[in-house]
Amino acid sequence: MSKDKRIARSNQLTDVIPGESIELVVDWLLDYKIHLKITPGRMSKYGDYQAPSKTGGHRISVNGDLNPYAFLLVFVHEVAHLVSFEVYDFGIKPHGEEWKSTFLELMIPFFHKRVFPDALELAVKKSMLNPSATGCVDEELFKSLRQYDRVKKGELVENLALNELFAIPNGKMYRRGVKLKKRYRCEEMGTQKIYLFSPIAEVTPIDEEKLKEATKS
């Protein structure tokens, strides 16, 4: 592999993952010939993996608005798909036991390098007992990772007061209701339809008094 390729890949990663992890990640990118795309933030997913096709080799995309620790975890999550499919073939379940064991095996070098702060490493290791199919959506891990966000994207639904108004990115407004088993019952304003929200959904709280004033004017 050329020195120029390694430098180019390292430069691509300098601001998106912890420095201690760059060397190993670059090795994977070059050894597996991965095309890594850093995308704008997506509501529907944190990252994805696409197997080789006639148009190209392994492709991994990761949201560029993630903090370095979250970005690294999502990237390793996707590399685990690549490796598990290469080893076990495509007959396995996408997030089955083969993928889980591969994910854990790929994470071990980062624990040895002490890439994560102590408290966060503990949360990551705990999540590895049963890794989530959606990257960072394990609730406790998500909250631990969120502490390292460069810019907070809003407030968590679980931190809102009962009956407090909030908005989601598409502009729709809801009133937070009670928690059911795992999710919060929320009423969409205007339609009165009921939707269930994850406790860790990031939303924008709305000052109801200011909203009333704005509506009058």
Side-chain angles (χ1 to χ4, degrees):
M1 65 186 71
S2 73
K3 184 178 179 180
D4 288 344
K5 282 186 178 180
R6 178 169 286 278
I7 291 173
R9 292 296 190 138
S10 296
N11 290 340
Q12 182 188 23
L13 297 167
T14 297
D15 296 324
V16 296
I17 60 174
E20 302 88 345
S21 64
I22 290 177
E23 184 178 359
L24 179 53
V25 169
V26 169
D27 285 343
W28 289 349
L29 291 174
L30 296 174
D31 291 347
Y32 291 111
K33 298 179 173 59
I34 299 169
H35 174 75
L36 173 63
K37 182 178 182 181
I38 299 173
T39 71
R42 295 168 290 188
M43 287 285 292
S44 58
K45 56 187 172 183
Y46 295 118
D48 62 20
Y49 165 68
Q50 295 179 30
S53 65
K54 293 179 180 179
T55 58
H58 299 289
R59 292 178 174 271
I60 288 175
S61 71
V62 181
N63 291 3
D65 61 347
L66 298 174
N67 71 55
Y69 301 114
F71 190 104
L72 178 61
L73 280 172
V74 172
F75 175 76
V76 180
H77 174 119
E78 303 305 338
V79 174
H81 283 303
L82 184 163
V83 175
S84 59
F85 287 145
E86 283 204 339
V87 173
Y88 300 104
D89 204 354
F90 283 84
I92 64 171
K93 294 181 180 179
H95 296 101
E97 293 306 315
E98 296 88 353
W99 172 79
K100 290 179 181 181
S101 63
T102 301
F103 189 17
L104 176 57
E105 186 177 345
L106 292 175
M107 284 299 302
I108 289 173
F110 299 106
F111 297 143
H112 289 164
K113 288 176 177 288
R114 303 303 300 272
V115 167
F116 302 98
D118 290 345
L120 179 55
E121 180 176 306
L122 188 62
V124 173
K125 286 181 174 177
K126 185 178 178 181
S127 76
M128 297 307 299
L129 296 174
N130 187 26
S132 168
T134 43
C136 306
V137 182
D138 173 281
E139 289 186 15
E140 294 307 313
L141 177 58
F142 179 90
K143 287 186 277 190
S144 296
L145 284 166
R146 193 171 184 267
Q147 297 177 44
Y148 300 91
D149 285 352
R150 300 180 183 96
V151 178
K152 293 291 186 293
K153 300 172 186 174
E155 187 55 86
L156 303 185
V157 167
E158 70 175 10
N159 292 338
L160 301 180
L162 182 64
N163 293 322
E164 186 171 356
L165 287 179
F166 66 88
I168 61 175
N170 66 9
K172 290 184 178 181
M173 292 189 294
Y174 299 82
R175 188 179 297 280
R176 207 214 82 174
V178 297
K179 188 176 183 181
L180 302 179
K181 288 184 177 180
K182 292 186 177 181
R183 294 176 178 265
Y184 284 87
R185 185 180 186 274
C186 301
E187 179 184 336
E188 183 182 355
M189 306 307 295
T191 67
Q192 282 74 56
K193 290 182 178 179
I194 301 299
Y195 294 86
L196 299 180
F197 278 77
S198 164
I200 57 173
E202 292 179 302
V203 299
T204 303
I206 295 174
D207 186 314
E208 195 158 2
E209 292 304 315
K210 288 183 179 179
L211 179 63
K212 289 178 181 177
E213 289 298 320
T215 304
K216 290 178 183 177
S217 60

